[in-house]
């Protein structure tokens, strides 16, 4: 595997289900991110982990719960979602340092909440 | 408040033509402006980026023009090709920061 991988690629879940999204980066980076991509809206940064520590939580509802067990893996645990949470969820990673933090994105998980 | 505004939402260009996408930002603390390209089924990937100390940056057929006083920057794709058909996002951040603010995206279609 290379780059940033995400599983599953597609997920359909009911509003009472609990599911998890998984992200793995194979780039040796030390920062990981969750973004939400909805049609006609800017990419929304949800969570930032620097060196496995959460540094940003951009007012994301508690029904989204991130977990970063190590610098290569990132999870997004989902429970009691709403239909408006249907979107493409993108994971990204970057290398913290003195220069720009180029984001390397995975292909995303297309989530549909029914 | 949307930190970065992008237009147009969609763009159709003939093969060989010039594609132009515009972005405007609010926060004068931003000093790094990347453009990302996203193909269907893929995540966005960095295409080209600029800092405010230059007014233009060119990489192959892709050029960023930057107007610091107007707080605007644009992507020009010269000799557009069908393979350039994708969604393009502008973004802004602090050079050493890792919080990016993205535009809403422009869906580009290049007609053969």
């Amino acid at each position: 595997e290379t780059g940033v991988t995400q599983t599953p690629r597609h997920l359909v879940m009911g509003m009472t289900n609990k599911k998890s999204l998984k992200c793995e980066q194979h780039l040796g980076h030390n920062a990981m991110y969750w973004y939400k991509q909805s049609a006609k809206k800017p990419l929304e940064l949800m969570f930032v982990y620097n060196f496995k520590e959460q540094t940003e939580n951009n007012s994301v509802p508690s029904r989204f719960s991130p977990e970063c067990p190590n610098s290569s893996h990132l999870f997004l645990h989902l429970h009691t979602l709403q239909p408006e949470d249907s979107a493409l969820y993108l994971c990204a990673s970057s290398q913290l340092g003195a220069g720009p933090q180029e984001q390397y994105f995975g292909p995303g998980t297309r989530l549909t909440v029914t | 408040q949307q930190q970065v505004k992008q237009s147009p939402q969609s763009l159709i260009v003939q093969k060989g033509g010039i594609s132009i996408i515009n972005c405007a930002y609010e926060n004068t603390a931003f000093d790094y402006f990347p453009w990302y390209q996203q193909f269907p089924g893929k995540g966005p990937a960095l295409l080209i980026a600029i800092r405010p100390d230059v007014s233009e940056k060119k990489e192959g057929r892709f050029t960023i023009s930057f107007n610091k006083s107007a707080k605007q920057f644009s992507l020009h794709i010269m000799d557009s090709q069908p393979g350039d058909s994708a969604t393009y996002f502008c973004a802004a951040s602090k050079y050493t920061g890792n919080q990016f603010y993205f535009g809403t995206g422009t869906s580009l279609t290049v007609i053969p």
Side-chain angles (χ1 to χ4, degrees):
Chain A
E1 296 279 13
T2 59
V4 180
T5 58
Q6 291 186 242
T7 54
R9 294 295 307 275
H10 300 272
L11 178 62
V12 179
M13 60 186 289
M15 289 190 285
T16 58
N17 292 157
K18 291 184 179 181
K19 296 286 185 183
S20 296
L21 310 184
K22 179 183 176 182
C23 174
E24 184 174 1
Q25 59 94 1
H26 309 266
L27 300 167
H29 289 163
N30 51 24
M32 297 188 76
Y33 314 81
W34 280 116
Y35 286 87
K36 178 182 179 182
Q37 184 176 14
S38 305
K40 301 180 183 180
K41 289 187 177 181
L43 279 166
E44 298 174 48
L45 179 63
M46 300 174 70
F47 300 104
V48 178
Y49 278 84
N50 294 341
F51 300 102
K52 302 186 299 177
E53 297 298 321
Q54 184 176 319
T55 60
E56 294 285 342
N57 174 344
N58 287 340
S59 303
V60 180
S62 59
R63 57 185 183 269
F64 295 92
S65 175
E67 178 189 2
C68 188
N70 55 60
S71 58
S72 298
H73 293 86
L74 186 64
F75 295 88
L76 188 63
H77 303 300
L78 316 171
H79 65 96
T80 59
L81 294 191
Q82 303 299 311
E84 60 264 29
D85 297 322
S86 298
L88 182 68
Y89 288 85
L90 292 164
C91 174
S93 69
S94 73
Q95 183 64 25
L96 298 175
Q101 314 298 311
E102 179 183 346
Q103 312 268 292
Y104 290 77
F105 287 88
T109 295
R110 174 66 63 184
L111 173 67
T112 303
V113 181
T114 60
Chain B
Q1 181 188 5
Q2 193 172 328
Q3 297 273 3
V4 178
K5 296 182 180 179
Q6 183 173 347
S7 62
Q9 185 176 301
S10 62
L11 183 61
I12 300 174
V13 174
Q14 292 278 354
K15 178 182 175 180
I18 302 173
S19 304
I20 302 174
I21 305 170
N22 300 300
C23 284
Y25 63 98
E26 293 293 325
N27 190 341
T28 54
F30 294 148
D31 58 357
Y32 180 65
F33 303 91
W35 284 89
Y36 280 77
Q37 179 188 54
Q38 184 179 26
F39 292 105
K42 304 284 187 180
L46 180 65
L47 182 64
I48 186 174
I50 197 169
R51 296 198 68 191
D53 52 345
V54 297
S55 59
E56 185 175 282
K57 183 174 181 179
K58 184 175 181 179
E59 290 185 2
R61 295 183 295 107
F62 299 90
T63 300
I64 300 178
S65 296
F66 188 82
N67 185 330
K68 187 174 181 179
S69 60
K71 295 189 289 184
Q72 296 176 345
F73 58 109
S74 59
L75 176 69
H76 297 237
I77 306 174
M78 312 301 287
D79 186 28
S80 298
Q81 300 296 312
D84 296 330
S85 297
T87 299
Y88 293 81
F89 293 92
C90 61
S93 76
K94 294 181 182 179
Y95 186 68
T96 55
N98 63 350
Q99 181 143 354
F100 284 65
Y101 296 89
F102 285 85
T104 50
T106 296
S107 176
L108 171 65
T109 302
V110 181
I111 300 172

